[in-house]
Amino acid sequence: MFNFKTHNTSVKTEIIAGITTFLTMAYIIVVNPVILADGGVPFQQGFTATIIAAVVGSLCMALFANLPVAIAPGMGLNAYFAYSVVQANGNVDFKIAFSAVFVTGLLFLLLSLTKFRTKLIEAIPQSLKYAITAGIGLFIAFIGLRMSGVIADHPANLVGLGNLHSPSVILALVGLAITLVLMSLNINGALFIGMLITGIIAYFTGDLSFKDGITSMPQLPEGVIVWNPITAVSDVIKYGLYTVIFSFLLVTLFDTTGTLLGVTEQAGLMKNGKLPNAGRALLSDSISTTVGSMFGTSPTTAYIESSAGVAAGGRTGFTTLIVAGLFIIAAFFSPLIGAVSGVAAITAPSLIIVGSLMIGAVRHIDWEQFDEAFPAFLVILSMPLTSSIATGIALGFISYPLMKIARGKFRDIHPFIYVFAVLFLYQLVFLPH
């Protein structure tokens, strides 16, 4: 089924690759429920939903697409869900917000069955794609700094340096230093290992305790949150969540596609510049997003951390099958994960470092061309300052065609971009954000 000989690999190699991939992305088991909790999602619900989405997506990728690319709820998308969709809208709770994610998943499914997805990705300017990735990176890092207390509220400048004598801040900085050393040494699973070591330190300092034990059966306190498409669509219409859906689609579209292309190219699986089983791979992500939203997590994406497994020799879906199996095992350790998530100093370093990795996308932006550079700059700057990923995207898509028109390059812009600009302008002016 996995064609080990064709791909010049073995079961042993694939198992090692699967373990490697899991360790590099295991931080999401802790971090995702923490971020979703800021949007009102009960931790246990977010934890189990994260596991379900990762297992479903990775299994589909393994069995349908036979690719060594794991799927799980995406960083940035979870922050957008919690802070821009729920916290920023007092009349929208997490259950209503999941209706928007559910509809996004269904639309994603439809797009994955057509060529429209490819056309949409091609229409988005490269500079804006990279700017959105970088902007989300800054936003995530900012959240990590705030969570840890390294950055605190300031009466004059809004934010400033926190109390460096605070035990929690010291622990966070120690955890960050440990993880940075592991990253510098190119140790696989550095983020996960960094959290583990920081957790051990926190245990001996009294900041971490396991009052509820270590293991338990998986639970979903809220049950299935959304399952009826009609109800979900009516929620979207009632609360005007069109921009939310568009933002989810936009980020997920090129995030997943870009990761798939990058990882499969690294694995040598690209054939004549084309991704094998591309349709099935995209469909796997779509199914994961839809199922994940039903139980309580934000949209999923293909994980760039899969490149670590590929570097370890992973070439087939068996690698991803191992990842799915390890996620299932992790589902029985919710008390342990819950205790760890309660100590911000343990999870914050991962957010800061993931943000630093995402900001690297700025190197691909053509800073010499002002009509390319400024819209990208606006996206990157506005996301952390407005605490809204959607606002950053909107400002970029509005300013980009405006500057191109001013330079007489209006014919170089895809019609889709003009449509996006009008929609985002309407959203900023007339809809809550």
Side-chain angles (χ1 to χ4, degrees):
M1 178 180 180
F2 296 105
N3 299 319
F4 295 127
K5 292 184 178 180
T6 303
H7 292 91
N8 194 28
T9 185
S10 65
V11 173
K12 179 181 178 181
T13 299
E14 296 287 305
I15 291 175
I16 293 173
I19 294 173
T20 302
T21 295
F22 176 77
L23 288 176
T24 59
M25 64 184 291
Y27 67 89
I28 197 64
I29 301 174
V30 182
V31 175
N32 194 53
V34 170
I35 293 178
L36 293 178
D38 286 343
V41 183
F43 178 85
Q44 184 64 56
Q45 186 81 21
F47 170 79
T48 305
T50 298
I51 298 291
I52 291 173
V55 170
V56 170
S58 297
L59 280 178
C60 288
M61 187 69 79
L63 302 177
F64 298 161
N66 192 26
L67 292 173
V69 183
I71 291 177
M75 289 296 295
L77 295 168
N78 50 12
Y80 174 59
F81 176 92
Y83 305 110
S84 299
V85 180
V86 180
Q87 283 194 7
N89 296 284
N91 61 335
V92 175
D93 63 16
F94 70 88
K95 293 183 179 180
I96 295 171
F98 278 128
S99 289
V101 181
F102 184 65
V103 173
T104 300
L106 295 178
L107 291 175
F108 203 12
L109 274 168
L110 294 175
L111 288 176
S112 298
L113 296 173
T114 68
K115 294 182 179 180
F116 180 76
R117 171 175 178 149
T118 303
K119 293 181 179 179
L120 190 60
I121 294 172
E122 293 174 349
I124 301 172
Q126 292 291 340
S127 59
L128 292 185
K129 292 180 184 177
Y130 296 128
I132 291 171
T133 299
I136 291 174
L138 279 182
F139 185 33
I140 290 174
F142 181 63
I143 292 171
L145 290 169
R146 288 290 296 268
M147 282 175 55
S148 64
V150 175
I151 286 179
D153 294 336
H154 189 280
N157 299 323
L158 299 182
V159 293
L161 188 64
N163 180 12
L164 298 185
H165 297 284
S166 167
S168 61
V169 173
I170 294 174
L171 179 62
L173 293 175
V174 170
L176 179 61
I178 291 171
T179 310
L180 288 174
V181 169
L182 295 172
M183 294 285 290
S184 299
L185 295 175
N186 294 319
I187 294 177
N188 289 325
L191 292 177
F192 180 77
I193 296 172
M195 285 197 296
L196 181 63
I197 296 175
T198 308
I200 293 173
I201 295 173
Y203 178 77
F204 285 107
T205 59
D207 293 299
L208 175 63
S209 61
F210 304 102
K211 298 178 182 179
D212 299 322
I214 301 296
T215 63
S216 72
M217 293 298 293
Q219 300 175 23
L220 288 167
E222 299 291 333
V224 178
I225 294 176
V226 56
W227 61 271
N228 190 328
I230 297 176
T231 302
V233 171
S234 65
D235 284 342
V236 169
I237 295 173
K238 180 179 179 180
Y239 293 93
L241 301 177
Y242 311 109
T243 306
V244 173
I245 291 175
F246 179 71
S247 297
F248 276 140
L249 278 173
L250 195 64
V251 175
T252 307
L253 276 171
F254 58 79
D255 189 11
T256 297
T257 305
T259 299
L260 283 170
L261 293 174
V263 175
T264 52
E265 176 68 31
Q266 176 192 358
L269 299 175
M270 296 284 283
K271 298 179 180 178
N272 299 320
K274 295 184 179 181
L275 175 66
N277 296 326
R280 294 183 179 184
L282 300 178
L283 193 61
S284 298
D285 186 34
S286 307
I287 294 172
S288 181
T289 292
T290 306
V291 173
S293 67
M294 294 172 65
F295 293 98
T297 189
S298 48
T300 60
T301 185
Y303 260 63
I304 192 62
E305 284 84 354
S306 301
S307 60
V310 168
R315 293 295 182 272
T316 75
F318 194 77
T319 292
T320 320
L321 188 65
I322 296 299
V323 174
L326 292 172
F327 268 112
I328 292 174
I329 294 172
F332 295 92
F333 290 88
S334 62
L336 170 64
I337 303 301
V340 170
S341 69
V343 183
I346 298 176
T347 55
S350 293
L351 291 175
I352 297 168
I353 293 173
V354 169
S356 74
L357 297 175
M358 295 177 73
I359 193 67
V362 297
R363 69 183 182 276
H364 300 297
I365 298 172
D366 187 355
W367 296 105
E368 301 299 322
Q369 299 295 324
F370 192 64
D371 55 343
E372 293 284 337
F374 186 79
F377 166 76
L378 203 56
V379 171
I380 296 169
L381 179 69
S382 57
M383 281 188 185
L385 293 185
T386 64
S387 296
S388 172
I389 293 171
T391 298
I393 294 174
L395 293 176
F397 273 82
I398 292 170
S399 60
Y400 187 87
L402 180 64
M403 296 186 70
K404 289 295 183 179
I405 291 172
R407 296 198 62 181
K409 298 180 179 180
F410 59 91
R411 291 189 180 88
D412 296 341
I413 304 175
H414 196 284
F416 282 162
I417 303 303
Y418 289 113
V419 175
F420 295 160
V422 172
L423 291 174
F424 274 126
L425 183 61
Y426 176 81
Q427 184 263 336
L428 287 179
V429 176
F430 297 107
L431 299 178
H433 52 83

